[in-house]
């Protein structure tokens, strides 16, 4: 069973600082193993892009050994504002001593089915053959319906147990064509960090963290890892028992 921690911060500055600290410490532990060790992190889009861009820029680490993957991605051109990679290219890469080559990207020119298969092949290069990939860290978000990545409530992909990366062509949230990590990957990670800020998240966080509804975000329970929910006060306002840091 995963270790789950709920951390509430007075503001996004403290939240961002803590998230960056956690990631840099984990990365430096991984890289201390030496040899060909690289730190493998899965990213999500949205407001967390700016947060990571601002606060990771302040940490010390060997950035050349970080590799960035995408927990889900929209099947759109990289010039489309809906592209998660485009968000990181425009807001993240310019603030850190990293290059675009360190990002493992989808091929948006393929069909959604082929894009998912192609991304599995790209991921597999970084992990031992025949093993289920174990990411060092995954940065996750949660939608107002409780979805995470592109795993939506009631969708058949929530039952997927064999495929690492799955295509979705009927996403309830546009654009409809996407690829997404599945629960076997999410639940094999070393550290999963859910980041949620703002009062618009309060209701769904209550349903997940207080009421225990079995929504997709609540099904992220790494077998041999930890889950941390990093929330600001506005997002956590319906979790009365939590104390801010």
């Amino acid at each position: 069973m995963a270790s789950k921690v709920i951390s509430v911060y007075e503001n996004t500055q403290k939240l961002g600082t803590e998230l960056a600290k956690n990631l840099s410490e984990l990365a430096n532990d991984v890289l201390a193993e030496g040899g060909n060790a690289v730190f493998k992190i899965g990213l999500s889009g949205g407001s967390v892009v700016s947060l990571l861009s601002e606060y990771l820029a302040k940490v010390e680490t060997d950035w050349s050994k970080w590799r960035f993957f995408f927990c889900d991605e929209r099947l759109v051109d990289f010039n489309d504002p809906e592209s998660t990679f485009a968000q990181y290219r425009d807001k993240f890469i310019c603030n850190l001593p990293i290059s675009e080559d360190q990002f493992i990207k989808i091929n948006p020119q393929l069909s959604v089915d082929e894009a998912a298969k192609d991304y599995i092949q790209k991921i597999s290069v970084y992990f031992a053959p025949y093993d289920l990939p174990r990411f060092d860290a995954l940065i996750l978000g949660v939608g107002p319906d409780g979805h995470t990545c592109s795993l939506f409530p009631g969708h058949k992909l929530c039952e997927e147990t064999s495929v690492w990366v799955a295509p979705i062509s009927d996403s309830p949230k546009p654009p409809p064509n996407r690829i997404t990590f599945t629960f076997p990957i999410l639940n094999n990670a070393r550290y999963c960090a859910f980041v949620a800020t703002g009062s618009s998240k309060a209701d769904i966080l209550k349903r997940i963290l207080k009421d225990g509804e079995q929504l997709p975000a609540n099904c992220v329970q790494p077998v041999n890892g930890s889950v941390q929910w990093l929330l600001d006060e506005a997002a956590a306002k319906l979790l009365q028992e939590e104390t801010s840091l």
Side-chain angles (χ1 to χ4, degrees):
M1 179 63 70
S3 167
K4 180 165 73 174
V5 175
I6 302 171
S7 303
V8 181
Y9 301 90
E10 185 179 353
N11 50 50
T12 54
Q13 179 181 0
K14 290 185 177 181
L15 189 160
T17 300
E18 182 70 11
L19 177 60
K21 174 176 171 288
N22 292 349
L23 292 174
S24 63
E25 288 179 352
L26 183 56
N28 293 340
D29 285 346
V30 170
L31 299 180
E33 298 170 6
N36 296 320
V38 295
F39 181 65
K40 298 177 283 290
I41 180 171
L43 304 171
S44 298
S47 59
V48 75
V49 181
S50 296
L51 200 68
L52 290 172
S53 177
E54 180 175 357
Y55 293 99
L56 276 179
K58 301 175 182 179
V59 305
E60 292 187 10
T61 185
D62 184 350
W63 287 110
S64 70
K65 295 184 177 179
W66 285 49
R67 295 296 179 271
F68 303 93
F69 302 77
F70 293 96
C71 297
D72 71 326
E73 176 62 289
R74 293 84 177 265
L75 195 69
V76 295
D77 188 82
F78 290 151
N79 291 320
D80 191 307
E82 290 284 353
S83 166
T84 301
F85 167 68
Q87 295 176 31
Y88 282 91
R89 180 193 61 207
D90 297 343
K91 299 177 182 178
F92 187 72
I93 295 177
C94 58
N95 280 355
L96 295 167
I98 56 176
S99 69
E100 186 174 320
D101 291 342
Q102 290 171 248
F103 286 75
I104 290 74
K105 307 179 288 290
I106 67 165
N107 182 345
Q109 306 307 316
L110 299 175
S111 70
V112 67
D113 289 344
E114 290 304 315
K117 293 176 183 175
D118 178 67
Y119 204 59
I120 291 172
Q121 292 181 333
K122 290 177 176 176
I123 289 173
S124 66
V125 171
Y126 294 88
F127 296 92
Y130 311 114
D131 286 352
L132 181 63
R134 179 167 167 80
F135 282 90
D136 298 307
L138 300 177
I139 308 301
L140 304 172
V142 58
D145 59 354
H147 83 266
T148 191
C149 301
S150 287
L151 300 169
F152 294 91
H155 196 280
K156 62 183 180 180
L157 287 186
C158 292
E159 308 301 323
E160 179 60 56
T161 59
S162 58
V163 175
W164 303 348
V165 180
I168 176 170
S169 57
D170 56 353
S171 168
K173 179 181 177 182
N177 293 324
R178 303 159 174 245
I179 67 163
T180 182
F181 283 2
T182 58
F183 283 119
I185 287 282
L186 300 181
N187 288 331
N188 200 45
R190 182 172 177 178
Y191 171 66
C192 294
F194 279 95
V195 179
T197 59
S199 58
S200 64
K201 299 290 187 181
D203 180 65
I204 192 61
L205 290 172
K206 176 182 178 293
R207 291 171 60 192
I208 292 169
L209 298 176
K210 192 169 185 180
D211 302 339
E213 286 191 40
Q214 285 303 295
L215 296 165
N218 220 10
C219 296
V220 177
Q221 301 175 1
V223 176
N224 187 26
S226 62
V227 177
Q228 183 179 18
W229 289 78
L230 298 99
L231 319 173
D232 67 0
E233 287 187 346
K237 66 182 181 180
L238 301 181
L239 307 176
Q240 294 95 335
E241 70 278 9
E242 302 300 335
T243 302
S244 298
L245 300 172

